[in-house]
Amino acid sequence: MSDPRTPQTRLDPRYSDPAATAMPWPEAEIRLSGSQMFWISTVRPDGRPHVTPLPAVWSQGALHFCTGPQERKARNLAENPHVVLTTGTNTWDEGYDLVVEGEAVRVSDDSRLRELAAAWEAKYGRFWHFEVREGCFHHGAGHAYVFAVAPGTVFGFGKGEPFSQTRWRFG
C-alpha cells in the first residue's frame, strides 16, 4: 500500500504549455508552508458559499486554521466540513496558486494545540500568541477552535512562462 501522504501527481496537458512539468509535491508543500494568507471557502446552511481570508499553518501534512465558535465559518463547518483553501498571487502571468480541497476536522488535543500555537507564533509573530486550554486557543478574552484540513486534492497553477496546471490526488 502506498503512503497516503504521497499523492498521485498529474500535469494536465490541456492547460499547460508543452514545456511545462509538474511541480513536485515537496515543492508545493514548501509553498503552502511559506504562504501567509489563505482564502477559505465554506458552505452556508442554505447552500450559498462563504469566502473569507485567514492565516494558516502547514503542519504534519495538513493546513490548520482557527476561528471563533460563533464566526460564520465555524457555524458553516458545523453543518458541512468540506472546505477549499486557496493561496498564491493576484497576478495572472507570474507566481503560483494552490487550491487545497478537503474536510475540516477540529483539533482539540491540548498537546497538539500547543505545538500548533508555537507554529503560529513562529510564523506570524507575537500578536498570534495563543494560550491553550480546554481544547481551544485562547487570546485575550476570546477563544477559537482549531481545524486541520488534510488535502484530498490539491491543484497548482503555474502562471507565466511556462503556464501549468498540476493536480495532486491523495488517498
Side-chain angles (χ1 to χ4, degrees):
M1 177 185 278
S2 64
D3 182 347
R5 294 176 298 176
T6 303
Q8 294 177 342
T9 303
R10 180 178 181 274
L11 181 74
D12 192 328
R14 297 173 300 172
Y15 308 109
S16 302
D17 288 343
T21 59
M23 177 182 285
W25 177 244
E27 189 175 330
E29 281 187 298
I30 290 168
R31 291 175 183 264
L32 288 170
S33 181
S35 187
Q36 292 187 345
M37 189 58 62
F38 294 79
W39 290 86
I40 186 169
S41 301
T42 60
V43 180
R44 297 173 192 262
D46 67 4
R48 292 180 299 133
H50 176 259
V51 181
T52 190
L54 51 65
V57 171
W58 178 260
S59 176
Q60 297 182 6
L63 278 171
H64 296 79
F65 66 91
C66 58
T67 184
Q70 295 306 312
E71 290 185 43
R72 168 52 48 203
K73 58 189 163 295
R75 295 189 331 238
N76 292 347
L77 293 171
E79 300 275 330
N80 182 344
H82 298 282
V83 300
V84 176
L85 288 143
T86 60
T87 190
T89 58
N90 65 351
T91 58
W92 78 270
D93 63 348
E94 65 182 4
Y96 203 87
D97 295 336
L98 291 161
V99 177
V100 177
E101 298 177 349
E103 287 191 23
V105 176
R106 181 142 176 242
V107 178
S108 59
D109 176 73
D110 280 358
S111 64
R112 179 69 180 128
L113 288 171
R114 280 190 285 281
E115 293 171 5
L116 290 168
W120 244 279
E121 191 166 353
K123 184 173 182 179
Y124 295 105
R126 63 183 176 82
F127 175 78
W128 291 92
H129 174 78
F130 296 108
E131 299 294 326
V132 174
R133 61 181 183 276
E134 301 166 351
C136 295
F137 278 177
H138 291 262
H139 183 72
H143 69 284
Y145 295 156
V146 177
F147 291 89
V149 179
T153 303
V154 179
F155 295 96
F157 301 92
K159 301 182 297 186
E161 296 299 325
F163 285 90
S164 64
Q165 183 174 314
T166 302
R167 179 187 68 211
W168 298 274
R169 188 168 283 157
F170 294 80

